[in-house]
Every structure is written in C-alpha cells, then in structure tokens.
Amino acid sequence: MKKTLVLLLISCVAWAQNASRKYLSHSYKQNILEIKTSDGAYRIEPYSESTVETSFIPHGERYESASYAVVPSAKKTGLKVKFSENKNKLYLQCGLLNLEIDKAPFQIQYLLSDSKILSEKEGFTKVNDSTQTLSFNIDSEDELYGGGARALGMNRRGNRLALYNRAHYGYETKAELMNFCLPLVLASKSNNRYYAVHFDNSAIGSLDLDSKKNNTLTYETISGRKTYQVIVGNSLTELTQKYTDLTGKQPLPPRWALGNLSSRFGYHNQNEVENTIKKFQENQIPVDGIILDLYWFGKTVQGTMGNLDWDKDNFPNPEKMMTDLSNQGIKTILITEPFILTTSSKWREAVDQKILVTDKSGKPCTWDFYFGNTSLVDVFKPEGKDWFWNVYKRLIKQGVGGMWGDLGEPEVFPSKAITAAGKADVVHNVYGHQWAKLIAEGYQKDFPEQRPFILMRAGYSGSQRFGMIPWSGDVSRSWGGLQSQMEISLQMGLQGLGYMHSDLGGFAGDYFDNELYLRWLQYGVFQPIFRPHAQEDVASEVARKDVATMAQAKKLVELRYQLMPYNYTLAFENNQTGMPLMRPVMLENSENHRQSISSKSYFWGHAFMVTPISQAGVTTTQITFPNEKRSWFDFYTEQKYNGNSTETVSVATDHIPVYVAGGSFVPMTRTFNNAAQYSFSDIIVHYYYDETVPNSEGLAYNDDGKTPNAFEKGAYEKLKFTAKNTRQTIKISMSDEVGKNYQPIDKKATLVVHNMPMNIKKITVDGQEVSVKMSGHKAEISMLWGKGMTKEIQIQF
C-alpha cells in the first residue's frame, strides 16, 4: 500500500507545472480568464469552440497584443464560453476544447471534449537573459508534425528543430533546416484525436519535439511574446482548416498560375525570352508564363543585385516584349531581392531615403555575402515599405504580371542589423512574411482588380493570407532531391501554405537524366504549381528537351491543362476552407490501432490518390488503398481495386500510379494553349460509378480567373454534380449555380461514366432517351447544357 502511494505521488509531481509557481487569484470577464500567480499572470482567451490563446506575462512585463500571425477575424463573435470553479480547480469550457486549471500544484490542462490532450509542464521558464522556454507534457504515442519545411520524415518526433529561416542548397533526402521555419506543431494521438500548438512569437529559437525522450514538447526563444494557441480537431486537415481560421486563408491565385510556367536560371536577354516562348508555340505546348531570373537587371550574377531596373543593353524594349507576350496570353514574372548592393545603381538612392536596415550608430548596416557588399531594405519601416512598393508599382505598370521574391530568409542577415521592428534576430523569421504583405497590400491599393502572383522562398505563420506561393528552395537535381518533395509539400499544406511546390526536375547540379526529369514532371501534374526550373547548364523547359523526352513531357503538360477545372476548384476550396491541395493519406496501424500519415502516397483533392515514383528503373510498386467502404480505379487503365487492400501494381514509364476514388466526380476539359483561352464552354465531367457508394457529389468552380474576391462579389459560377445509385438505376443531376454578377454561357457537356455495368436498358437526359458512345465499361453521354439550367441523367439497368 505504501509503495502505491509513493508511485502516485511521484506521478503527480512529474506531471505538475513549475513547482515554484503558486496560484494567487483570478478574474473572469468578457470571455477572458486572468490568473495571477507568484511569478506573473496568465491571460487565457478563447477564440472559437476549438481554439484558445494562452499568454504568460512575467512580473515587470506588459502583455503584448501584436501578432504577425493571427488575423482579427480569428476571434469568433458571440462565442459562448462557460466558466466555473471549485476550491481546487478552474474550468473553461469552449465547446470542443476545454481547460482544467489545478490551483495546487498549479497546472493548465487542455482537453478535447473530456479527453486530456496535453498540459503545461514547466510552462514559462526564463533560463537566462537570452533564453526562455515554454514546455508541455505530451503522451508517449503522439506523432508530431510541423515546424515548417524540413526533410526529416513525416513524424518529426525526436528532433530538435532550429527556428531560423535558412536556405539549404542542393539538399536531397535530409534537410534539418530550410527556408520556412514555422513555430507550429501538429499532433496525432493514439485515440485518433488531433491537436496543434502555435507559438505566436517571431524571434528566432527552436522547437524540441521530445528529443530527450521524456515526453516533453519545448519551445525555446531569445525574447518576445510568451503566447501560444492550442487548437483541437478530429482530423489533421480539420486542424489545418481551424489553423487558417486563426492565421488567414489563401486568396485565389490568378488562374494562369496553375498552368505551365517556363523558368530557368536564367534568360540573359530579350531574344532568349521571346525565342523560348516561340519554342513552346512551335511545338504546340501549352504555357502561361515565363520567369526571368537575375539577368533582367544585370549582366553578371555578382555586383548587380539591387539595380531593380532593366538592363537595357540586353532588354532594349521590355515594355514591348511584355505587351507582345501578354497579347499571346503569356505573363512575365520577374525575380527581385531585398538586398541593395553598395555597387548597385540604387545604392545612393536607398541611403539618401533612409530605407535600409541600420547598425547601432544609425548608419546603413552593411556586410558581405556571395553577391557582393550589401545592405537590406527595411520592410518594417514605412519609408522602406513605400520605397520597395514603388519599385513594384513601376514594374507592374510596365507590364510585369507576377513577382518572384528570392533570398527572403533573409539569406544573410547578421545579428548586428537593426530594423524599425527590432534587431535582426527578433524579426529574421518574419522578414519574408512582411515582404509579401507589402506587395499584397500594394496590389490592393493600386491594382485592386488584379490578383497578385507572389512566388517566395521564405515566410512565416499566416503568410498564405498574402497570396504567397512558396517553393522548396534549391533542391538537388537527383533522385534523392525528388524523394523529399512530397513530405515537404504535405507538411507545409497542413501548416496553411497549400501551394508549396518544387522546381520540377530539380535545381542544383548539371545531372542529365531524362527518366528523373519525366518522373518529376509526372508528379508535378498533381502538385500545386507546375514550374520546371534549373541552373542554366540544364534545359528545364519542356520545349527545349530532346524530341523523345519533349513528346512525353508535352502529354504531361496537356494533362495538367485538361485538369484545370478540377485543379481550379481545389484552389477555390483552399481559399474558402484552408484545405490543402495535397492531402495526407491516413493509414491504419494494426499494431497500435492509430492512423499515421503515409509518406509514399497522397490525395490530390478529394478524388485522386497519387503515388510518385522517386527511384530509377522501378517497374512495380506496392499500393495501399485506404477506406474499405469504396473502390479505387486506375486513372489510366480503369482497373478496379478494393479499398483497405494492398496490391503490387505495374509501373508504366509514361505515368506514375494515380487512382480515383469510387463515387468521385472529376471535371476536366480539352487541352488549351493558356489560361486566356479557358472557359466552361466544353466541359467533360467524369463520374466513377461505384456500387458501394450510394450517394456522392462534386463541384466545378469558375470565375474570370483574375478578379480578387470574385466569389464574394457574386462574379462566379458553380457546376454542382450529385449521384444517387440503386441496384436498378444511376441518377445524376448536374446543376448550375450562377452568382448575381456573373454572365454564364451555354455549354457543350460530356458526361463520362466509368465502371458502367454492361446490362444497360435505357439512358435518358431530362426524360428523353439518348444514345451513348460505349468503350468497354465507359459510357460517354453528350448534351447541350443551357446556362443556369439543371440536367437530369438516368441510367437504368
């Protein structure tokens, strides 16, 4: 009996918070709970039924309300919170997320409904003048994700992650530190419940995901807010939706951003740009944009950064070039960097206008890096922000269609530098975030009818709300480089940045391997942005490959364009809900009865499951099909597979394994040259009949592809699809919802029913019997679909 009591006491102490922290008193008003303790005060504020913000304010400090991450709309109005207490505990019930606070020993516990998910361990601790921590108890079986872009494996538990945005040139299968270091942890528990902790502080530091194997999650930083938000949900993607409620949704990008973008390092002159686009056109390869690297502003890589203006020797008439390209439906995207070299043409102007970061004496802070002796635009200073935006404003007026912000970690940003918002180490991780913000806000002010395209290499929590299109940095042009890309995109999608993508084909190195190139592009069809890119030693553009490789790659580009209705609808869903475009496949682990993320396959939206091939010479692979309640169909061969099964499948050379979930609707169209030619005039709706799925629905969203907030303005069209199946019939309804400020068009529609039973008696459209084109178990039903009308299709067996 005595041994049992001792064990219980030890257990209680081990899970208690900071032993020296004593509860003194509390107050509760307007949904905010404030608790005074012996060494400071807690401020606990529910934001929604599933999100709570907790701040600790040590004695002698003030509560800091300003956040780079959280949006004002995160605080739900009319939220009903129930507060209660007894002599031992305080209770805060928000709905899905609840808190229990023990008075002695003092401890804050977080519960999903009535199930404990985590608790403060030491809570806030000041280790020394330059180190402070927040620590939590976590369960031994919690799988941990997040921390930004890394190549470490999907479950990142056991790692200590530095929070200091930094490029990793030429990485392959492992990259512990990269360009996006987000202070966010998402967790999957053994009871298939999920939580996230976001540490709302910009300063550099680290996330320790139980590296000491003592069931502890620790956030460490040098200074700043002691504030974190806890979010709970019933799935990882639900966590993402709620996290983007907290930090903001991604605006819809311009539709052309989902097309084929021509890019390399780099195009040296105007002729190279124009001739590259001609190559695409001569070979009838769709293309929507061309991206210009460093040479647009200088003849050399070193010594010219910061010019931020055209090199007229090599680009004698850029306005005409961009106008001519635009008239062909091609957008021009320019690289820009925030570094202003002392040798650049803008140096004296930048110094005179006081727009640069400074040293402690107030003079421009300078340092050396690869490109030359430099300083950095202070994007936190109103003068710096205005100066930089005026550069972009001038370029946009000239005809630039999109912006590429490179080196925004910032690549080199010494601790001695000082900005208007604090020292370099305090704002390092939010520099790219603030840079994207100034561009987004500039567009809203001066080009309110244009959606921005902002391609950037570094950002922070919530950068998605500025329309940031992130990419995974200078990945090695190797099979190892390809192998890490799915993890990076899936992880970043869960962390709100749903457009994370890679340089298709790989960037770093002169490795010539057409099999690798094609496998990377095959994956690229089903990733957010289709942008081959490489160093200039290797032709990255589809139009500049050898004849055989070009022919295969062209088919991949065409498929990308045929999928535009589906892909644009995914973008719309991401904008409205925060759901990532690439989504994790959760597989059941029979040993511990929990779901884990598959790193081999992923969902592309709701309909597709994709398995990239990331090794040379693969002819077969194993596929695990999730969900025992539905079948899966090979997108290319139509072969049917049962859910909740594992199969060894053949791997073709011209495509990777892609499967469609039974019951899915997949809206597609025919190949077109670029987004300027896109419309719903010829829509092809694929329906994958599955007798085990009695009811299903689908959607195709459309607008003009360029107006910001088109949906909210009523300038949109939604094609809605439903299917109801019995043993005797398939009933499909296709309706057209039209916004009040949108002009729809009549459509030529083709309904393609896959896995069609062969014992068909009759097919009717709007009650009239029609003939169909049969090909095996696939039926094509053609019809005219009047604008705003509903079509009813019935198939009788």
mmCIF file of all heavy atoms in Angstrom, residues 87-107:
data_model
loop_
_atom_site.group_PDB
_atom_site.id
_atom_site.type_symbol
_atom_site.label_atom_id
_atom_site.label_comp_id
_atom_site.label_asym_id
_atom_site.label_seq_id
_atom_site.Cartn_x
_atom_site.Cartn_y
_atom_site.Cartn_z
ATOM 1 N N LYS A 87 -12.959 24.682 -5.147
ATOM 2 C CA LYS A 87 -11.823 25.070 -4.319
ATOM 3 C C LYS A 87 -10.480 24.583 -4.871
ATOM 4 O O LYS A 87 -9.422 25.113 -4.514
ATOM 5 C CB LYS A 87 -12.020 24.577 -2.889
ATOM 6 C CG LYS A 87 -12.014 23.061 -2.751
ATOM 7 C CD LYS A 87 -12.163 22.671 -1.274
ATOM 8 C CE LYS A 87 -12.099 21.146 -1.113
ATOM 9 N NZ LYS A 87 -12.225 20.781 0.325
ATOM 10 N N ASN A 88 -10.518 23.588 -5.769
ATOM 11 C CA ASN A 88 -9.275 23.017 -6.298
ATOM 12 C C ASN A 88 -8.971 23.371 -7.741
ATOM 13 O O ASN A 88 -7.816 23.326 -8.162
ATOM 14 C CB ASN A 88 -9.323 21.484 -6.180
ATOM 15 C CG ASN A 88 -9.425 21.018 -4.753
ATOM 16 O OD1 ASN A 88 -8.754 21.560 -3.874
ATOM 17 N ND2 ASN A 88 -10.281 20.025 -4.507
ATOM 18 N N LYS A 89 -10.019 23.714 -8.520
ATOM 19 C CA LYS A 89 -9.827 23.861 -9.964
ATOM 20 C C LYS A 89 -10.607 25.037 -10.528
ATOM 21 O O LYS A 89 -11.613 25.475 -9.956
ATOM 22 C CB LYS A 89 -10.281 22.595 -10.706
ATOM 23 C CG LYS A 89 -9.391 21.375 -10.581
ATOM 24 C CD LYS A 89 -10.000 20.191 -11.333
ATOM 25 C CE LYS A 89 -9.158 18.935 -11.220
ATOM 26 N NZ LYS A 89 -8.116 18.872 -12.245
ATOM 27 N N LEU A 90 -10.124 25.507 -11.692
ATOM 28 C CA LEU A 90 -10.862 26.417 -12.550
ATOM 29 C C LEU A 90 -11.192 25.663 -13.832
ATOM 30 O O LEU A 90 -10.372 24.877 -14.327
ATOM 31 C CB LEU A 90 -10.022 27.656 -12.894
ATOM 32 C CG LEU A 90 -9.413 28.450 -11.733
ATOM 33 C CD1 LEU A 90 -8.542 29.578 -12.275
ATOM 34 C CD2 LEU A 90 -10.494 28.991 -10.821
ATOM 35 N N TYR A 91 -12.384 25.901 -14.385
ATOM 36 C CA TYR A 91 -12.809 25.213 -15.601
ATOM 37 C C TYR A 91 -13.217 26.246 -16.650
ATOM 38 O O TYR A 91 -13.934 27.203 -16.340
ATOM 39 C CB TYR A 91 -14.005 24.297 -15.328
ATOM 40 C CG TYR A 91 -13.744 23.209 -14.324
ATOM 41 C CD1 TYR A 91 -13.999 23.415 -12.966
ATOM 42 C CD2 TYR A 91 -13.243 21.974 -14.717
ATOM 43 C CE1 TYR A 91 -13.779 22.419 -12.033
ATOM 44 C CE2 TYR A 91 -13.014 20.962 -13.792
ATOM 45 C CZ TYR A 91 -13.280 21.188 -12.457
ATOM 46 O OH TYR A 91 -13.059 20.198 -11.536
ATOM 47 N N LEU A 92 -12.761 26.018 -17.882
ATOM 48 C CA LEU A 92 -13.151 26.867 -19.007
ATOM 49 C C LEU A 92 -13.614 25.944 -20.124
ATOM 50 O O LEU A 92 -12.814 25.174 -20.676
ATOM 51 C CB LEU A 92 -11.962 27.721 -19.464
ATOM 52 C CG LEU A 92 -12.264 29.005 -20.234
ATOM 53 C CD1 LEU A 92 -13.101 29.974 -19.410
ATOM 54 C CD2 LEU A 92 -10.957 29.680 -20.660
ATOM 55 N N GLN A 93 -14.902 26.001 -20.419
ATOM 56 C CA GLN A 93 -15.472 25.120 -21.440
ATOM 57 C C GLN A 93 -15.834 25.942 -22.676
ATOM 58 O O GLN A 93 -16.707 26.808 -22.617
ATOM 59 C CB GLN A 93 -16.709 24.413 -20.888
ATOM 60 C CG GLN A 93 -16.386 23.447 -19.756
ATOM 61 C CD GLN A 93 -17.632 22.827 -19.163
ATOM 62 O OE1 GLN A 93 -18.464 23.518 -18.573
ATOM 63 N NE2 GLN A 93 -17.771 21.518 -19.324
ATOM 64 N N CYS A 94 -15.139 25.656 -23.785
ATOM 65 C CA CYS A 94 -15.334 26.420 -25.020
ATOM 66 C C CYS A 94 -16.200 25.693 -26.030
ATOM 67 O O CYS A 94 -16.682 26.302 -26.985
ATOM 68 C CB CYS A 94 -13.974 26.724 -25.654
ATOM 69 S SG CYS A 94 -12.800 27.453 -24.515
ATOM 70 N N GLY A 95 -16.362 24.406 -25.870
ATOM 71 C CA GLY A 95 -17.106 23.581 -26.821
ATOM 72 C C GLY A 95 -16.343 22.308 -27.073
ATOM 73 O O GLY A 95 -16.404 21.354 -26.290
ATOM 74 N N LEU A 96 -15.556 22.297 -28.128
ATOM 75 C CA LEU A 96 -14.712 21.132 -28.411
ATOM 76 C C LEU A 96 -13.457 21.141 -27.540
ATOM 77 O O LEU A 96 -12.971 20.105 -27.104
ATOM 78 C CB LEU A 96 -14.348 21.101 -29.895
ATOM 79 C CG LEU A 96 -13.747 19.810 -30.436
ATOM 80 C CD1 LEU A 96 -14.732 18.659 -30.312
ATOM 81 C CD2 LEU A 96 -13.341 19.985 -31.903
ATOM 82 N N LEU A 97 -12.909 22.332 -27.285
ATOM 83 C CA LEU A 97 -11.697 22.481 -26.480
ATOM 84 C C LEU A 97 -12.069 23.007 -25.094
ATOM 85 O O LEU A 97 -12.776 24.011 -24.962
ATOM 86 C CB LEU A 97 -10.724 23.457 -27.155
ATOM 87 C CG LEU A 97 -9.452 23.818 -26.384
ATOM 88 C CD1 LEU A 97 -8.632 22.573 -26.054
ATOM 89 C CD2 LEU A 97 -8.613 24.808 -27.181
ATOM 90 N N ASN A 98 -11.588 22.317 -24.075
ATOM 91 C CA ASN A 98 -11.866 22.707 -22.695
ATOM 92 C C ASN A 98 -10.571 22.754 -21.895
ATOM 93 O O ASN A 98 -9.592 22.080 -22.240
ATOM 94 C CB ASN A 98 -12.848 21.726 -22.044
ATOM 95 C CG ASN A 98 -14.169 21.667 -22.791
ATOM 96 O OD1 ASN A 98 -14.777 22.696 -23.066
ATOM 97 N ND2 ASN A 98 -14.615 20.453 -23.132
ATOM 98 N N LEU A 99 -10.574 23.566 -20.825
ATOM 99 C CA LEU A 99 -9.404 23.709 -19.979
ATOM 100 C C LEU A 99 -9.757 23.368 -18.535
ATOM 101 O O LEU A 99 -10.842 23.720 -18.056
ATOM 102 C CB LEU A 99 -8.857 25.139 -20.006
ATOM 103 C CG LEU A 99 -8.020 25.564 -21.216
ATOM 104 C CD1 LEU A 99 -8.909 25.798 -22.432
ATOM 105 C CD2 LEU A 99 -7.221 26.825 -20.901
ATOM 106 N N GLU A 100 -8.820 22.679 -17.885
ATOM 107 C CA GLU A 100 -8.878 22.468 -16.446
ATOM 108 C C GLU A 100 -7.596 23.021 -15.854
ATOM 109 O O GLU A 100 -6.502 22.681 -16.312
ATOM 110 C CB GLU A 100 -9.024 20.984 -16.112
ATOM 111 C CG GLU A 100 -10.354 20.384 -16.501
ATOM 112 C CD GLU A 100 -10.486 18.927 -16.068
ATOM 113 O OE1 GLU A 100 -9.560 18.432 -15.374
ATOM 114 O OE2 GLU A 100 -11.492 18.297 -16.420
ATOM 115 N N ILE A 101 -7.724 23.873 -14.828
ATOM 116 C CA ILE A 101 -6.568 24.517 -14.224
ATOM 117 C C ILE A 101 -6.514 24.138 -12.759
ATOM 118 O O ILE A 101 -7.414 24.504 -11.976
ATOM 119 C CB ILE A 101 -6.623 26.041 -14.401
ATOM 120 C CG1 ILE A 101 -6.652 26.374 -15.905
ATOM 121 C CG2 ILE A 101 -5.433 26.712 -13.741
ATOM 122 C CD1 ILE A 101 -7.453 27.556 -16.271
ATOM 123 N N ASP A 102 -5.517 23.364 -12.397
ATOM 124 C CA ASP A 102 -5.320 22.987 -10.998
ATOM 125 C C ASP A 102 -4.675 24.153 -10.254
ATOM 126 O O ASP A 102 -3.697 24.738 -10.721
ATOM 127 C CB ASP A 102 -4.412 21.753 -10.897
ATOM 128 C CG ASP A 102 -5.051 20.522 -11.496
ATOM 129 O OD1 ASP A 102 -6.229 20.263 -11.186
ATOM 130 O OD2 ASP A 102 -4.374 19.833 -12.283
ATOM 131 N N LYS A 103 -5.222 24.446 -9.068
ATOM 132 C CA LYS A 103 -4.672 25.543 -8.278
ATOM 133 C C LYS A 103 -3.405 25.127 -7.539
ATOM 134 O O LYS A 103 -2.456 25.916 -7.414
ATOM 135 C CB LYS A 103 -5.728 26.035 -7.287
ATOM 136 C CG LYS A 103 -6.945 26.681 -7.947
ATOM 137 C CD LYS A 103 -7.957 27.143 -6.903
ATOM 138 C CE LYS A 103 -9.182 27.788 -7.561
ATOM 139 N NZ LYS A 103 -10.190 28.215 -6.556
ATOM 140 N N ALA A 104 -3.379 23.895 -7.017
ATOM 141 C CA ALA A 104 -2.199 23.437 -6.278
ATOM 142 C C ALA A 104 -2.050 21.920 -6.425
ATOM 143 O O ALA A 104 -2.960 21.189 -6.049
ATOM 144 C CB ALA A 104 -2.324 23.824 -4.808
ATOM 145 N N PRO A 105 -0.939 21.435 -6.955
ATOM 146 C CA PRO A 105 0.086 22.244 -7.628
ATOM 147 C C PRO A 105 -0.476 22.836 -8.917
ATOM 148 O O PRO A 105 -1.303 22.217 -9.582
ATOM 149 C CB PRO A 105 1.207 21.255 -7.910
ATOM 150 C CG PRO A 105 0.522 19.923 -7.942
ATOM 151 C CD PRO A 105 -0.628 20.001 -6.984
ATOM 152 N N PHE A 106 -0.013 24.044 -9.267
ATOM 153 C CA PHE A 106 -0.605 24.781 -10.375
ATOM 154 C C PHE A 106 -0.290 24.096 -11.706
ATOM 155 O O PHE A 106 0.863 23.757 -11.976
ATOM 156 C CB PHE A 106 -0.077 26.208 -10.403
ATOM 157 C CG PHE A 106 -0.735 27.055 -11.457
ATOM 158 C CD1 PHE A 106 -1.959 27.652 -11.224
ATOM 159 C CD2 PHE A 106 -0.132 27.241 -12.694
ATOM 160 C CE1 PHE A 106 -2.573 28.419 -12.197
ATOM 161 C CE2 PHE A 106 -0.734 28.007 -13.671
ATOM 162 C CZ PHE A 106 -1.967 28.601 -13.427
ATOM 163 N N GLN A 107 -1.336 23.906 -12.523
ATOM 164 C CA GLN A 107 -1.128 23.296 -13.842
ATOM 165 C C GLN A 107 -2.307 23.597 -14.745
ATOM 166 O O GLN A 107 -3.462 23.600 -14.302
ATOM 167 C CB GLN A 107 -0.967 21.778 -13.730
ATOM 168 C CG GLN A 107 -0.642 21.136 -15.078
ATOM 169 C CD GLN A 107 -0.464 19.637 -14.973
ATOM 170 O OE1 GLN A 107 -1.300 18.944 -14.400
ATOM 171 N NE2 GLN A 107 0.631 19.131 -15.514
#
